[in-house]
Coordinates of all heavy atoms in Angstrom, one line a residue:
I328 N 96.3 87.7 103.5 CA 97.2 88.9 103.5 C 96.5 90.2 103.8 O 97.0 90.9 104.7 CB 98.0 89.0 102.2 CG1 99.0 87.8 102.1 CG2 98.7 90.3 102.1 CD1 99.8 87.7 100.8
P329 N 95.3 90.4 103.3 CA 94.6 91.7 103.7 C 94.3 91.8 105.2 O 94.2 92.9 105.7 CB 93.3 91.6 102.9 CG 93.6 90.8 101.7 CD 94.6 89.7 102.2
G330 N 94.2 90.6 105.9 CA 94.0 90.6 107.3 C 95.1 91.3 108.1 O 94.9 91.9 109.1
I331 N 96.3 91.3 107.5 CA 97.5 92.0 108.1 C 97.2 93.5 108.3 O 97.4 94.1 109.3 CB 98.8 91.7 107.4 CG1 99.2 90.3 107.4 CG2 99.9 92.6 107.8 CD1 100.3 89.9 106.5
F332 N 96.6 94.0 107.2 CA 96.3 95.4 107.2 C 95.2 95.8 108.1 O 95.1 96.8 108.7 CB 96.1 95.9 105.7 CG 97.3 95.7 104.9 CD1 97.3 94.7 104.0 CD2 98.3 96.6 104.9 CE1 98.5 94.5 103.2 CE2 99.4 96.4 104.1 CZ 99.5 95.4 103.3
I333 N 94.2 94.9 108.2 CA 93.1 95.1 109.1 C 93.6 95.1 110.5 O 93.2 96.0 111.3 CB 92.0 94.0 108.9 CG1 91.3 94.1 107.6 CG2 91.0 94.1 110.1 CD1 90.4 93.0 107.2
I334 N 94.5 94.2 110.9 CA 95.1 94.2 112.2 C 95.8 95.5 112.5 O 95.6 96.2 113.5 CB 96.0 93.0 112.4 CG1 95.3 91.7 112.4 CG2 96.8 93.2 113.7 CD1 96.2 90.5 112.4
L335 N 96.6 95.9 111.6 CA 97.4 97.1 111.8 C 96.5 98.4 111.9 O 96.8 99.2 112.7 CB 98.4 97.3 110.6 CG 99.6 96.3 110.6 CD1 100.4 96.4 109.3 CD2 100.5 96.5 111.8
I336 N 95.5 98.5 111.0 CA 94.6 99.7 111.1 C 93.8 99.7 112.4 O 93.7 100.7 113.0 CB 93.7 99.7 109.8 CG1 94.5 99.9 108.6 CG2 92.6 100.7 110.0 CD1 93.7 99.7 107.3
S337 N 93.4 98.5 112.8 CA 92.5 98.4 114.0 C 93.3 98.8 115.2 O 92.7 99.1 116.3 CB 91.9 97.1 114.1 OG 92.8 96.1 114.5
E338 N 94.6 98.7 115.2 CA 95.4 99.0 116.4 C 95.9 100.4 116.4 O 96.7 100.8 117.3 CB 96.6 98.0 116.5 CG 96.1 96.6 116.8 CD 95.3 96.4 118.1 OE1 95.7 97.1 119.1 OE2 94.4 95.6 118.1
L339 N 95.6 101.2 115.4 CA 96.0 102.6 115.4 C 95.3 103.3 116.6 O 94.1 103.1 116.9 CB 95.5 103.3 114.1 CG 96.3 102.9 112.8 CD1 95.6 103.6 111.6 CD2 97.7 103.4 112.9
P340 N 96.0 104.2 117.3 CA 95.4 104.8 118.5 C 94.1 105.5 118.2 O 93.2 105.5 119.0 CB 96.5 105.8 118.9 CG 97.8 105.2 118.4 CD 97.4 104.5 117.1
I341 N 94.0 106.2 117.1 CA 92.8 106.9 116.8 C 91.6 106.0 116.7 O 90.5 106.3 117.2 CB 92.9 107.8 115.5 CG1 91.7 108.7 115.4 CG2 93.1 107.0 114.3 CD1 91.8 109.8 114.4

Side-chain angles (χ1 to χ4, degrees):
I328 291 174
I331 294 170
F332 298 101
I333 293 172
I334 292 170
L335 291 172
I336 293 169
S337 70
E338 294 300 323
L339 291 172
I341 190 170

